[in-house]
Amino acid sequence: MTDNAWTRWPSREALGREASTRPRRLLGWVTRSLVLAMLLWGAFNSSHVRGWGVLGAVAGILLSAVVAWAVFRTTLKHRLWPSLALYGVLLAIAVAAQAADFGVVALVLWCGCAITALERLPIAAALPVTAIALALYAAVNDDVWLTTLATTAGLALAGYVLRLDAEARGNAQRLLNQERAARAAEAESAALAERARIAREIHDVLAHSLSAQLVHLEAARLLIEGGADRDQILERVVAARGMARDGLAETRQALSALRGDMTPLEEFLTQLVGTADGAETTISGERRPLPAEASQAVRRVAQEALTNVRKHAPGAKIRVWLEYGEDRVTLVVRDSGGSPGELTATGGGYGLLGMRERAELLGGSLDAGPDDEGFMVTLKVPV
C-alpha cells in the first residue's frame, strides 16, 4: 500500500508508551485494571449464571484481556493482518457475551474495539473495524435512535481524537530522540576534535623538541668524528640535555594551554627570541587575548622557524614581527641568511609542513621561502 494518510500507520512512538508521561501511564493502568475488575465482579455476581457458567464468563473476560494485550503488541509492530484477526476475535467474544446475556461485557468490548482501532490502525483498516463494532453496539442498544447515533458518533470522534493526541506525542518524542542523538553526536564530535587537538599539540611539541635535540646530538657526532676536544663535545651534549628539559617543560605548558592556562603570547615570544643570539622582537597592533588554537599556532610556528634558523643558517640575525590586525594575527620570522650549517641535511623537513596544515585547519595560511636577505616565514591566522 502507498504511504498516505489512509494507509499510514501511527508512528511507533505514538503507539508505544515512551511518549507518555509517567502519570499518564499510571492513569491508563488504573483505568484498565478497574474496567477488568468491574467486569469480573459482574460475572461473579450475575444472577442468571451459576457454577460452570461463572467460570466460563471469567475465562472469556480473561481471554479478552489477553487478546487486547496481543492487539497492543501487533499494532506496535505494524502487523496489519494479525491485528485485524485479533480484533475479529474480540468482536466474536463480544457477540458471544451478548448471546450469554453479558451485555455490559459486550458493550465494553465493542466500544473498546471502535476506539482503539481508530487510535492504533491505519485509517483504511480502522474504519471497517470501527463500523462493525459500532453497528453491533447500535443493534443491541435499547436507547432511542438519536441517542444511539450521538453515542456512536461520540465514540468514533473519541477514537480519532486519541489518535491525533497519540501522533502529537509521538512526534514530540521523535523530535526529542533526534535532539538527543544530535547532542550525543555533537558531544562525540567535540571529544574527537579535542583528542585530535591534544594529539596535535603533543606531536608538535615533541617534534620541535626532538628536532632541536637531534641538531645538537648530530653536531656532537660530527665533532667526535672530527676529533674535537672534550669541551666542544660536552657543550653539544649539555645543549641537547637542555633541549630535552625544555621539551618536557613545553609539553607541560601545552597541556596547561589546553586547559586554558597559558602565558601571554608576547611574553612567550620574548622569552623564545631571547634564547637566540642576534634576535629581536617587534609587536604592533592592539594587544588582546587570542583563541587557544590561534595562540598555539603562533607559538609553534615561531619555535619551528627559530629551530630551522639554528640548523640552516647558524649565526644569522633573526627578526620576529607579531602584528595584531582587526580580524587576524600575523607572525613574520625572518633571518639575515648565512652560510649553511653543518646540520643542514638533518631532519625530515616536515616541521613547516605540519605548521602549514595547522594554519589551514584554522582557516589561515603559512608561507615559507627565501627573500632578499635570507629566509622568511609568514603565518596569518584569523581571530
Side-chain angles (χ1 to χ4, degrees), residues 221-263:
R221 184 185 67 82
L222 294 175
L223 289 174
I224 293 174
E225 291 179 353
D229 58 32
R230 178 178 179 277
D231 292 338
Q232 290 179 308
I233 298 173
L234 181 60
E235 179 183 355
R236 290 295 185 177
V237 173
V238 171
R241 185 189 65 178
M243 288 295 176
R245 185 173 56 249
D246 293 342
L248 180 60
E250 289 174 9
T251 302
R252 291 171 177 168
Q253 184 181 21
L255 293 175
S256 298
L258 290 171
R259 292 192 295 266
D261 181 19
M262 63 175 69
T263 59

Short mmCIF file of all heavy atoms in Angstrom, two decimals, residues 221-263:
data_model
loop_
_atom_site.label_atom_id
_atom_site.label_comp_id
_atom_site.label_asym_id
_atom_site.label_seq_id
_atom_site.Cartn_x
_atom_site.Cartn_y
_atom_site.Cartn_z
N ARG A 221 78.12 14.33 17.26
CA ARG A 221 78.67 13.21 16.49
C ARG A 221 79.74 13.69 15.51
O ARG A 221 80.81 13.09 15.36
CB ARG A 221 77.55 12.51 15.74
CG ARG A 221 78.02 11.27 14.97
CD ARG A 221 76.90 10.69 14.14
NE ARG A 221 76.51 11.58 13.07
CZ ARG A 221 77.15 11.68 11.90
NH1 ARG A 221 78.24 10.94 11.66
NH2 ARG A 221 76.73 12.51 10.98
N LEU A 222 79.43 14.80 14.83
CA LEU A 222 80.40 15.33 13.87
C LEU A 222 81.67 15.80 14.57
O LEU A 222 82.79 15.64 14.05
CB LEU A 222 79.76 16.48 13.09
CG LEU A 222 78.59 16.09 12.16
CD1 LEU A 222 77.96 17.34 11.55
CD2 LEU A 222 79.06 15.15 11.08
N LEU A 223 81.54 16.39 15.75
CA LEU A 223 82.72 16.83 16.50
C LEU A 223 83.57 15.63 16.91
O LEU A 223 84.81 15.68 16.86
CB LEU A 223 82.29 17.63 17.72
CG LEU A 223 81.69 19.02 17.44
CD1 LEU A 223 81.16 19.64 18.73
CD2 LEU A 223 82.75 19.94 16.81
N ILE A 224 82.89 14.55 17.34
CA ILE A 224 83.64 13.35 17.73
C ILE A 224 84.39 12.78 16.53
O ILE A 224 85.56 12.41 16.62
CB ILE A 224 82.68 12.32 18.34
CG1 ILE A 224 82.13 12.83 19.67
CG2 ILE A 224 83.39 10.97 18.54
CD1 ILE A 224 81.07 11.93 20.27
N GLU A 225 83.69 12.71 15.38
CA GLU A 225 84.36 12.18 14.18
C GLU A 225 85.50 13.08 13.73
O GLU A 225 86.48 12.59 13.16
CB GLU A 225 83.33 12.04 13.06
CG GLU A 225 82.30 10.95 13.31
CD GLU A 225 81.30 10.86 12.18
OE1 GLU A 225 81.33 11.74 11.29
OE2 GLU A 225 80.47 9.92 12.17
N GLY A 226 85.37 14.39 13.99
CA GLY A 226 86.43 15.31 13.58
C GLY A 226 87.55 15.44 14.60
O GLY A 226 88.47 16.24 14.40
N GLY A 227 87.43 14.72 15.70
CA GLY A 227 88.49 14.76 16.70
C GLY A 227 88.50 16.03 17.53
O GLY A 227 89.57 16.47 17.98
N ALA A 228 87.35 16.65 17.73
CA ALA A 228 87.29 17.88 18.52
C ALA A 228 87.61 17.57 19.97
O ALA A 228 87.57 16.42 20.42
CB ALA A 228 85.90 18.49 18.39
N ASP A 229 87.89 18.66 20.70
CA ASP A 229 88.26 18.44 22.10
C ASP A 229 87.00 18.16 22.94
O ASP A 229 85.87 18.34 22.51
CB ASP A 229 89.02 19.63 22.66
CG ASP A 229 88.24 20.94 22.57
OD1 ASP A 229 86.99 20.88 22.66
OD2 ASP A 229 88.86 22.00 22.40
N ARG A 230 87.22 17.76 24.16
CA ARG A 230 86.16 17.31 25.04
C ARG A 230 85.18 18.42 25.36
O ARG A 230 83.96 18.18 25.44
CB ARG A 230 86.79 16.77 26.33
CG ARG A 230 85.78 16.30 27.38
CD ARG A 230 86.50 15.75 28.60
NE ARG A 230 85.57 15.32 29.64
CZ ARG A 230 85.01 16.14 30.52
NH1 ARG A 230 85.30 17.45 30.49
NH2 ARG A 230 84.17 15.67 31.44
N ASP A 231 85.67 19.64 25.55
CA ASP A 231 84.77 20.74 25.93
C ASP A 231 83.74 21.04 24.84
O ASP A 231 82.58 21.32 25.14
CB ASP A 231 85.59 22.00 26.23
CG ASP A 231 86.42 21.85 27.50
OD1 ASP A 231 86.06 20.98 28.32
OD2 ASP A 231 87.42 22.57 27.66
N GLN A 232 84.17 20.99 23.58
CA GLN A 232 83.24 21.25 22.49
C GLN A 232 82.15 20.17 22.43
O GLN A 232 80.96 20.46 22.25
CB GLN A 232 83.98 21.30 21.16
CG GLN A 232 84.87 22.52 20.99
CD GLN A 232 85.60 22.50 19.66
OE1 GLN A 232 86.24 21.50 19.31
NE2 GLN A 232 85.51 23.59 18.92
N ILE A 233 82.57 18.92 22.59
CA ILE A 233 81.59 17.82 22.57
C ILE A 233 80.64 17.93 23.75
O ILE A 233 79.42 17.77 23.63
CB ILE A 233 82.31 16.47 22.57
CG1 ILE A 233 83.19 16.34 21.32
CG2 ILE A 233 81.31 15.32 22.63
CD1 ILE A 233 84.09 15.11 21.32
N LEU A 234 81.21 18.23 24.92
CA LEU A 234 80.38 18.34 26.11
C LEU A 234 79.37 19.48 25.98
O LEU A 234 78.23 19.37 26.45
CB LEU A 234 81.28 18.57 27.33
CG LEU A 234 80.55 18.67 28.69
CD1 LEU A 234 79.77 17.40 28.98
CD2 LEU A 234 81.56 18.98 29.80
N GLU A 235 79.78 20.55 25.32
CA GLU A 235 78.88 21.69 25.13
C GLU A 235 77.63 21.27 24.35
O GLU A 235 76.50 21.64 24.68
CB GLU A 235 79.60 22.81 24.40
CG GLU A 235 78.73 24.04 24.14
CD GLU A 235 79.48 25.10 23.36
OE1 GLU A 235 80.69 24.93 23.10
OE2 GLU A 235 78.84 26.11 22.99
N ARG A 236 77.85 20.46 23.30
CA ARG A 236 76.72 19.99 22.49
C ARG A 236 75.83 19.02 23.27
O ARG A 236 74.59 19.06 23.18
CB ARG A 236 77.23 19.31 21.22
CG ARG A 236 77.87 20.27 20.23
CD ARG A 236 76.83 21.25 19.69
NE ARG A 236 77.39 22.11 18.65
CZ ARG A 236 76.70 23.00 17.97
NH1 ARG A 236 75.42 23.16 18.26
NH2 ARG A 236 77.27 23.73 17.05
N VAL A 237 76.44 18.15 24.03
CA VAL A 237 75.65 17.19 24.82
C VAL A 237 74.82 17.92 25.87
O VAL A 237 73.64 17.61 26.09
CB VAL A 237 76.57 16.15 25.48
CG1 VAL A 237 75.78 15.26 26.42
CG2 VAL A 237 77.26 15.30 24.41
N VAL A 238 75.44 18.89 26.52
CA VAL A 238 74.70 19.68 27.52
C VAL A 238 73.55 20.44 26.86
O VAL A 238 72.45 20.54 27.41
CB VAL A 238 75.66 20.64 28.24
CG1 VAL A 238 74.87 21.62 29.11
CG2 VAL A 238 76.66 19.87 29.09
N ALA A 239 73.81 20.95 25.65
CA ALA A 239 72.74 21.66 24.94
C ALA A 239 71.59 20.72 24.60
O ALA A 239 70.41 21.08 24.71
CB ALA A 239 73.30 22.30 23.67
N ALA A 240 71.93 19.49 24.18
CA ALA A 240 70.89 18.50 23.88
C ALA A 240 70.08 18.18 25.13
O ALA A 240 68.85 18.04 25.08
CB ALA A 240 71.52 17.24 23.31
N ARG A 241 70.80 18.06 26.28
CA ARG A 241 70.09 17.80 27.52
C ARG A 241 69.15 18.96 27.86
O ARG A 241 68.02 18.78 28.32
CB ARG A 241 71.08 17.58 28.66
CG ARG A 241 70.42 17.19 29.98
CD ARG A 241 71.42 17.19 31.12
NE ARG A 241 71.92 18.54 31.38
CZ ARG A 241 72.78 18.85 32.35
NH1 ARG A 241 73.25 17.89 33.14
NH2 ARG A 241 73.19 20.08 32.53
N GLY A 242 69.64 20.18 27.63
CA GLY A 242 68.79 21.34 27.88
C GLY A 242 67.56 21.36 26.99
O GLY A 242 66.46 21.72 27.42
N MET A 243 67.76 20.92 25.73
CA MET A 243 66.62 20.85 24.82
C MET A 243 65.60 19.81 25.31
O MET A 243 64.38 20.01 25.21
CB MET A 243 67.08 20.50 23.40
CG MET A 243 67.80 21.64 22.71
SD MET A 243 66.69 23.04 22.44
CE MET A 243 67.84 24.23 21.72
N ALA A 244 66.09 18.69 25.82
CA ALA A 244 65.17 17.69 26.36
C ALA A 244 64.39 18.24 27.54
O ALA A 244 63.18 18.02 27.67
CB ALA A 244 65.96 16.44 26.77
N ARG A 245 65.10 18.98 28.41
CA ARG A 245 64.42 19.58 29.56
C ARG A 245 63.40 20.62 29.10
O ARG A 245 62.29 20.69 29.62
CB ARG A 245 65.46 20.22 30.48
CG ARG A 245 64.86 20.78 31.76
CD ARG A 245 65.97 21.23 32.72
NE ARG A 245 66.85 22.21 32.11
CZ ARG A 245 68.12 21.97 31.79
NH1 ARG A 245 68.67 20.79 32.06
NH2 ARG A 245 68.87 22.90 31.22
N ASP A 246 63.80 21.43 28.11
CA ASP A 246 62.86 22.43 27.58
C ASP A 246 61.66 21.77 26.91
O ASP A 246 60.53 22.28 27.01
CB ASP A 246 63.58 23.33 26.57
CG ASP A 246 64.64 24.19 27.23
OD1 ASP A 246 64.60 24.35 28.47
OD2 ASP A 246 65.53 24.70 26.51
N GLY A 247 61.91 20.63 26.23
CA GLY A 247 60.80 19.93 25.59
C GLY A 247 59.79 19.43 26.60
O GLY A 247 58.58 19.51 26.38
N LEU A 248 60.30 18.93 27.73
CA LEU A 248 59.40 18.49 28.78
C LEU A 248 58.60 19.66 29.34
O LEU A 248 57.39 19.55 29.58
CB LEU A 248 60.20 17.81 29.89
CG LEU A 248 59.39 17.27 31.08
CD1 LEU A 248 58.38 16.24 30.60
CD2 LEU A 248 60.32 16.67 32.13
N ALA A 249 59.27 20.78 29.52
CA ALA A 249 58.57 21.97 30.01
C ALA A 249 57.53 22.45 29.01
O ALA A 249 56.42 22.86 29.39
CB ALA A 249 59.58 23.08 30.31
N GLU A 250 57.87 22.38 27.71
CA GLU A 250 56.92 22.80 26.69
C GLU A 250 55.72 21.86 26.64
O GLU A 250 54.59 22.29 26.39
CB GLU A 250 57.61 22.85 25.33
CG GLU A 250 58.62 23.99 25.19
CD GLU A 250 59.39 23.92 23.88
OE1 GLU A 250 59.00 23.08 23.04
OE2 GLU A 250 60.35 24.68 23.71
N THR A 251 55.96 20.57 26.86
CA THR A 251 54.84 19.63 26.90
C THR A 251 53.89 19.98 28.03
O THR A 251 52.66 20.00 27.86
CB THR A 251 55.36 18.19 27.06
OG1 THR A 251 56.25 17.88 25.99
CG2 THR A 251 54.20 17.21 27.08
N ARG A 252 54.45 20.27 29.20
CA ARG A 252 53.60 20.67 30.32
C ARG A 252 52.88 21.97 30.01
O ARG A 252 51.70 22.14 30.35
CB ARG A 252 54.47 20.84 31.57
CG ARG A 252 55.03 19.51 32.10
CD ARG A 252 56.03 19.76 33.19
NE ARG A 252 56.53 18.50 33.75
CZ ARG A 252 57.58 18.40 34.55
NH1 ARG A 252 58.25 19.50 34.90
NH2 ARG A 252 57.95 17.22 35.01
N GLN A 253 53.58 22.88 29.35
CA GLN A 253 52.96 24.16 29.00
C GLN A 253 51.82 23.95 28.01
O GLN A 253 50.76 24.59 28.10
CB GLN A 253 53.99 25.11 28.42
CG GLN A 253 53.44 26.50 28.12
CD GLN A 253 54.49 27.42 27.51
OE1 GLN A 253 55.48 26.94 26.97
NE2 GLN A 253 54.27 28.71 27.62
N ALA A 254 52.04 23.03 27.05
CA ALA A 254 50.99 22.75 26.07
C ALA A 254 49.75 22.17 26.75
O ALA A 254 48.61 22.53 26.43
CB ALA A 254 51.50 21.79 25.00
N LEU A 255 49.97 21.26 27.70
CA LEU A 255 48.83 20.71 28.43
C LEU A 255 48.12 21.77 29.25
O LEU A 255 46.88 21.79 29.34
CB LEU A 255 49.31 19.57 29.33
CG LEU A 255 49.83 18.32 28.60
CD1 LEU A 255 50.37 17.32 29.60
CD2 LEU A 255 48.73 17.69 27.76
N SER A 256 48.89 22.68 29.82
CA SER A 256 48.27 23.78 30.56
C SER A 256 47.49 24.69 29.63
O SER A 256 46.41 25.17 29.97
CB SER A 256 49.35 24.59 31.29
OG SER A 256 50.04 23.78 32.24
N ALA A 257 48.04 24.90 28.42
CA ALA A 257 47.35 25.74 27.45
C ALA A 257 46.03 25.10 27.02
O ALA A 257 45.02 25.78 26.84
CB ALA A 257 48.24 25.97 26.23
N LEU A 258 46.04 23.78 26.88
CA LEU A 258 44.80 23.09 26.52
C LEU A 258 43.75 23.25 27.60
O LEU A 258 42.55 23.19 27.33
CB LEU A 258 45.09 21.61 26.27
CG LEU A 258 45.89 21.31 24.99
CD1 LEU A 258 46.29 19.85 24.97
CD2 LEU A 258 45.08 21.66 23.76
N ARG A 259 44.19 23.43 28.84
CA ARG A 259 43.24 23.65 29.93
C ARG A 259 42.90 25.13 30.08
O ARG A 259 42.17 25.51 30.98
CB ARG A 259 43.84 23.13 31.24
CG ARG A 259 43.97 21.62 31.30
CD ARG A 259 44.29 21.15 32.70
NE ARG A 259 45.58 21.62 33.16
CZ ARG A 259 46.71 20.92 33.06
NH1 ARG A 259 46.68 19.71 32.51
NH2 ARG A 259 47.85 21.40 33.51
N GLY A 260 43.45 25.97 29.18
CA GLY A 260 43.14 27.39 29.22
C GLY A 260 44.10 28.21 30.05
O GLY A 260 43.86 29.40 30.29
N ASP A 261 45.18 27.62 30.52
CA ASP A 261 46.14 28.32 31.38
C ASP A 261 47.46 28.42 30.63
O ASP A 261 48.25 27.48 30.61
CB ASP A 261 46.32 27.54 32.69
CG ASP A 261 47.30 28.24 33.63
OD1 ASP A 261 47.53 29.45 33.43
OD2 ASP A 261 47.82 27.56 34.54
N MET A 262 47.72 29.57 30.00
CA MET A 262 48.95 29.75 29.23
C MET A 262 49.51 31.15 29.46
O MET A 262 48.78 32.09 29.78
CB MET A 262 48.70 29.52 27.74
CG MET A 262 47.72 30.49 27.11
SD MET A 262 47.56 30.27 25.31
CE MET A 262 46.72 28.70 25.25
N THR A 263 50.82 31.27 29.27
CA THR A 263 51.47 32.57 29.41
C THR A 263 51.06 33.46 28.25
O THR A 263 50.73 32.96 27.17
CB THR A 263 52.99 32.41 29.43
OG1 THR A 263 53.41 31.77 28.21
CG2 THR A 263 53.44 31.55 30.60
#
